[in-house]
Amino acid sequence: VFHMVKTSHRAAVLNDVEASDFIATYAAFLKKTGKLELPKNVDLIKLATFKEIAPQDPDWFYVRCAALMRHIYKRPNAGVGALRRAFSGATKNKVKPGRCTRASGGIIRFCFQQLEKLGVMEHTQRGRVLTKEGYRDCDRIAQQILHPE
């Protein structure tokens, strides 16, 4: 006779979920909290010099903050320079070949400052790291994605 045993779910961490799922869910969470201050020219800001126009998504700031949280979770002690390289892209130089260009550091720095005010990230001498609350939030969001109940 087989008995049905209720299996408990293993605790999920950020590495267990897809990046796009986590970023979308965490961005929605950040928007719902309403504690992040948006940049002054949020509708005019380009994310890098190689971009031609500003982002079309009205929630781009929350998405960028969520992507930064994921990046720092996986690679702690990263600074603005490392993330400028992570979000880099190719310039469009008409006839000349494209070259790699870094993303805007001001936007990344502003996102970091807002996440620090939220209490999920802190600045150390080696770079930015997540606080215990930051790790807890990321793992809680991952748990919600894997086991929606």
Side-chain angles (χ1 to χ4, degrees), residues 1-36:
V1 174
F2 293 100
H3 297 285
M4 297 297 289
V5 177
K6 183 178 179 184
T7 58
S8 61
H9 297 295
R10 177 177 74 79
V13 293
L14 180 70
N15 296 334
D16 297 333
V17 298
E18 291 291 325
S20 57
D21 295 338
F22 173 78
I23 290 172
T25 308
Y26 196 72
F29 168 74
L30 288 174
K31 184 174 182 179
K32 191 174 80 172
T33 59
K35 294 181 180 177
L36 286 184

Side-chain angles (χ1 to χ4, degrees), residues 9-10 15 27 38 40 63 73 84-85 95-96 102 128 139 148:
H9 297 295
R10 177 177 74 79
N15 296 334
L38 296 176
K40 292 178 183 173
V63 173
Y73 184 101
R84 285 186 68 193
R85 285 188 296 276
V95 177
K96 296 187 294 184
R102 294 182 178 183
R128 301 301 205 293
D139 291 339

Side-chain angles (χ1 to χ4, degrees), residues 3-140:
H3 297 285
M4 297 297 289
V5 177
K6 183 178 179 184
T7 58
S8 61
H9 297 295
R10 177 177 74 79
V13 293
L14 180 70
N15 296 334
D16 297 333
V17 298
E18 291 291 325
S20 57
D21 295 338
F22 173 78
I23 290 172
T25 308
Y26 196 72
F29 168 74
L30 288 174
K31 184 174 182 179
K32 191 174 80 172
T33 59
K35 294 181 180 177
L36 286 184
E37 175 187 334
L38 296 176
K40 292 178 183 173
N41 304 354
V42 73
D43 54 339
L44 302 175
I45 293 175
K46 295 192 316 178
L47 298 180
T49 57
F50 61 88
K51 300 284 186 182
E52 292 184 0
I53 58 175
Q56 299 299 308
D57 183 11
D59 298 332
W60 68 265
F61 184 74
Y62 302 106
V63 173
R64 179 56 58 105
C65 287
L68 291 174
M69 281 291 289
R70 180 180 177 276
H71 193 98
I72 297 297
Y73 184 101
K74 293 177 81 69
R75 297 171 206 86
N77 297 317
V80 174
L83 287 156
R84 285 186 68 193
R85 285 188 296 276
F87 289 106
S88 65
T91 56
K92 297 177 184 79
N93 288 333
K94 296 183 183 173
V95 177
K96 296 187 294 184
R99 301 184 68 133
C100 184
T101 306
R102 294 182 178 183
S104 172
I107 299 300
I108 295 170
R109 194 172 301 108
F110 188 80
C111 289
F112 277 158
Q113 290 166 355
Q114 293 305 309
L115 291 169
E116 287 171 11
K117 286 181 184 176
L118 206 58
V120 294
M121 191 178 286
E122 63 184 3
H123 189 103
T124 63
Q125 286 185 332
R126 297 185 64 197
R128 301 301 205 293
V129 293
L130 296 184
T131 61
K132 289 185 180 185
E133 291 81 15
Y135 280 109
R136 187 188 67 221
D137 282 353
C138 290
D139 291 339
R140 186 176 45 79

